Amino acid sequence: MPPIGDRQPIFLATRSEISTFTADIIMAKSNIYRFCTGPWNWSAGQDPYGPPTRTEISFDRKLTELKKIGFEAMMFHDDDAVPEIDAKSGAQVLKEAKELKKRLDGEGITAEMVAPRLWFHPNTVDGAFTSNDPKSRQYAIDRSRRTIDIANALGTDLMVLWLAREGTYIRESKNGRRCVDLLVAALDAMLAHDKKIRLAIEPKPNEPMDVAYLPTIGHALAVAQLTRDSKRVGCLIESAHAILAGLDPADEIDFAMAFGKLWSLHLNDQNGLKFDQDKPFGSNNLRVAFNQVRALERNGYGQKGEYVCFDVHPFRTTQQEHWSAHLSNSRDTFLRLLEKARSYPEKQAEQLIADRNYQDLDQLVIEHLLGGK
Ligand code: XLS
Ligand code: MG
């Protein structure tokens, strides 16, 4: 790891690259959205205060369900792809990942990304890449390298990093500056492991930590610039995580896409600053959801193969027979809001903006969402 002060930011996305990208967006006519979710999104109802309320669904059932509900891809934690990964040799992990790829091909399902689950193992009690224990830090890097190998076997070049335990409960227990350097060193090790892998950082401001080191997209993209190949470090926005940071997810989408760095997306919903709720998309605030869809539309999301993933969970009260409703409902809401985004009265809105009549603009949006008078 280089000493503090030794690292220079490398700005690889030049202004002309960004404006070419912007021109692409303006040219974009009609985006095609493809949908994705993860096996963990069919959770069984457990929360910190109570046990599961439904029986677990087998992986095979989840896999065959996807197409039926209009989804084309699945996202994976490393141990969703290869269970009990820590107990297996590298060769065994690869063998099982290749077997999974065959099953996915058989179902016509794409693997969207793989993410290392760096928050369960005893080695990650005090953080993963930023643990105070060097052996634990090494464990996190080694496990991430394995995750990259799994991604390759599954045919995706995208690894997602939700940095769950990279933060503090006790401010004085960690040196924040050193932790930034440790995070960059870990990202560099992953980039060096595979010349093609792209890393998408999924920021979240809190939970399980009190305060996370990379709470927002701005933090994620700033850290990307410190790495050995910033072009291969981007981000994933989760609606609920942006809301937990007190931000509007639509602004986070516009910001990330201004850099050409929004490589994946976890749409869901969240009622304010409390525990992470992972509600169905649009469940809490339709207008905030509408603005996310508008932001995706105006930026041409999906045109480079990006998927719309729903990181949503069934309510604890959901009954077994409604086991996929949170996913199909999220997709339906997205598609309904897409119609609303495409039929939004742009001309009328532009005139109201030109007249600085934001009062009527506000009502125009409300009337449009209500279906018009
Ligand atoms: C948790 C994360 C989830 C996955 C990715 O909040 O939203 O995206 O765990 O690792
Ligand atoms: Mg997520």
Side-chain angles (χ1 to χ4, degrees):
M1 195 184 76
I4 284 176
D6 199 29
R7 198 184 298 281
Q8 294 300 318
I10 311 158
F11 292 94
L12 285 179
T14 63
R15 273 178 184 278
S16 67
E17 276 168 343
I18 291 172
S19 50
T20 309
F21 180 80
T22 310
D24 286 351
I25 296 164
I26 294 161
M27 300 284 286
K29 282 274 182 292
S30 139
N31 305 330
I32 292 170
Y33 296 97
R34 295 179 303 162
F35 301 98
C36 170
T37 196
W40 67 88
N41 292 114
W42 281 280
S43 49
Q46 66 276 22
D47 68 13
Y49 305 97
T53 53
R54 294 174 293 277
T55 51
E56 289 288 349
I57 309 288
S58 73
F59 178 78
D60 284 348
R61 245 189 109 194
K62 294 174 186 174
L63 188 56
T64 50
E65 180 76 353
L66 281 175
K67 279 259 155 114
K68 293 184 201 156
I69 58 171
F71 286 56
E72 292 174 56
M74 194 179 247
M75 49 185 178
F76 291 92
H77 290 120
D78 51 1
D79 57 359
D80 296 322
V82 180
E84 292 166 33
I85 187 172
D86 286 311
K88 292 173 181 166
S89 70
Q92 181 66 21
V93 167
L94 266 190
K95 183 173 168 276
E96 291 186 33
K98 284 179 187 160
E99 283 163 11
L100 173 60
K101 171 76 165 103
K102 277 192 198 139
R103 285 161 80 191
L104 294 176
D105 287 348
E107 292 293 334
I109 293 294
T110 303
E112 190 246 357
M113 64 81 166
V114 188
R117 196 192 296 274
L118 293 172
W119 52 93
F120 257 55
H121 194 275
N123 279 343
T124 60
V125 167
D126 188 34
F129 305 125
T130 61
S131 170
N132 280 331
D133 169 19
K135 281 201 197 96
S136 299
R137 296 201 297 269
Q138 193 56 49
Y139 164 83
I141 290 176
D142 291 343
R143 183 151 169 176
S144 304
R145 288 190 184 119
R146 274 192 166 194
T147 305
I148 293 172
D149 297 342
I150 294 173
N152 276 324
L154 296 186
T156 176
D157 67 351
L158 189 63
M159 173 151 100
V160 167
L161 292 166
W162 173 45
L163 302 170
R165 299 196 188 277
E166 318 295 4
T168 55
Y169 288 110
I170 306 295
R171 168 68 51 243
E172 298 80 4
S173 68
K174 300 267 169 86
N175 173 335
R177 170 59 206 264
R178 182 165 172 265
C179 287
V180 172
D181 287 340
L182 288 169
L183 282 171
V184 173
L187 294 167
D188 279 347
M190 292 175 239
L191 293 167
H193 183 67
D194 183 302
K195 289 199 167 59
K196 295 224 170 80
I197 198 76
R198 292 180 300 138
L199 311 175
I201 297 172
E202 178 180 355
K204 184 180 180 187
N206 61 287
E207 199 204 28
M209 303 312 292
D210 178 13
V211 187
Y213 285 129
L214 301 186
T216 68
I217 293 303
H219 289 81
L221 297 189
V223 157
Q225 298 294 354
L226 295 177
T227 64
R228 58 189 287 153
D229 190 359
S230 70
K231 273 188 174 154
R232 290 194 287 137
V233 184
C235 64
L236 179 161
I237 292 169
E238 174 162 326
S239 323
H241 297 181
I243 293 165
L244 285 168
L247 300 173
D248 188 320
D251 288 345
E252 289 281 82
I253 290 169
D254 278 326
F255 185 83
M257 293 206 74
F259 288 81
K261 293 272 193 156
L262 186 60
W263 297 340
S264 186
L265 182 67
H266 286 179
L267 294 183
N268 57 15
D269 214 350
Q270 169 74 26
N271 183 17
L273 308 184
K274 52 187 79 169
F275 63 94
D276 189 2
Q277 297 177 315
D278 294 334
K279 287 182 168 184
F281 184 53
S283 162
N284 192 67
N285 191 328
L286 267 184
R287 187 169 178 175
V288 169
F290 167 69
N291 280 312
Q292 288 171 75
V293 176
R294 274 197 92 205
L296 295 170
E297 271 286 275
R298 68 173 153 254
N299 286 290
Y301 185 83
Q303 301 211 339
K304 294 181 176 159
E306 309 92 336
Y307 284 88
V308 172
C309 309
F310 295 108
D311 198 355
V312 295
H313 288 269
F315 302 127
R316 190 161 194 262
T317 46
T318 297
Q319 297 173 66
Q320 195 78 27
E321 62 268 32
H322 306 139
W323 65 296
S324 288
H326 59 303
L327 293 166
S328 50
N329 289 345
S330 292
R331 181 180 176 278
D332 289 349
T333 303
F334 180 94
L335 292 171
R336 290 288 301 278
L337 289 174
L338 185 59
E339 283 169 23
K340 288 283 171 192
R342 289 179 176 171
S343 61
Y344 181 67
E346 299 285 356
K347 285 245 157 62
Q348 230 178 310
E350 269 166 34
Q351 190 54 55
L352 291 169
I353 291 166
D355 297 342
R356 213 178 70 193
N357 187 351
Y358 299 162
Q359 187 64 65
D360 282 359
L361 178 69
D362 182 51
Q363 192 62 17
L364 181 78
V365 174
I366 291 171
E367 292 294 345
H368 184 63
L369 288 177
L370 287 173
K373 277 185 179 160

